[in-house]
Amino acid sequence: LSPEESWLSAGGAPLDQYMEQVERGIIERTVQDAASYAQAARRLGLSRQALMYKLKKYHIGGGGGDV
């Protein structure tokens, strides 16, 4: 099953929670693959400040300086 299908078959959570899980996963993978937070932000189409906000929001990595 795809993540969407498993979410729906499990009765689903509120849509905003599901979307946050998807966003968090995309950000985590992008940050892991990027050489720096600045590069990850560019790949995600975010400003570096917006990426840092989301890292703190989702408790990803240090949320501090560049990698």
Side-chain angles (χ1 to χ4, degrees), residues 2-5 7 13-23:
S2 71
E4 296 84 6
E5 291 168 329
W7 175 76
L15 183 59
D16 59 337
Q17 288 178 6
Y18 176 72
M19 295 303 292
E20 285 183 355
Q21 290 175 348
V22 171
E23 182 178 52

Side-chain angles (χ1 to χ4, degrees), residues 42-53:
R42 280 192 301 276
R43 289 180 181 179
L44 292 165
L46 299 172
S47 68
R48 190 173 178 285
Q49 290 93 344
L51 175 60
M52 300 314 291
Y53 169 80

Side-chain angles (χ1 to χ4, degrees), residues 24-46:
R24 185 180 200 281
I26 291 169
I27 291 170
E28 282 181 317
R29 285 189 296 278
T30 304
V31 167
Q32 288 173 356
D33 292 343
S36 67
Y37 289 138
Q39 183 183 56
R42 280 192 301 276
R43 289 180 181 179
L44 292 165
L46 299 172

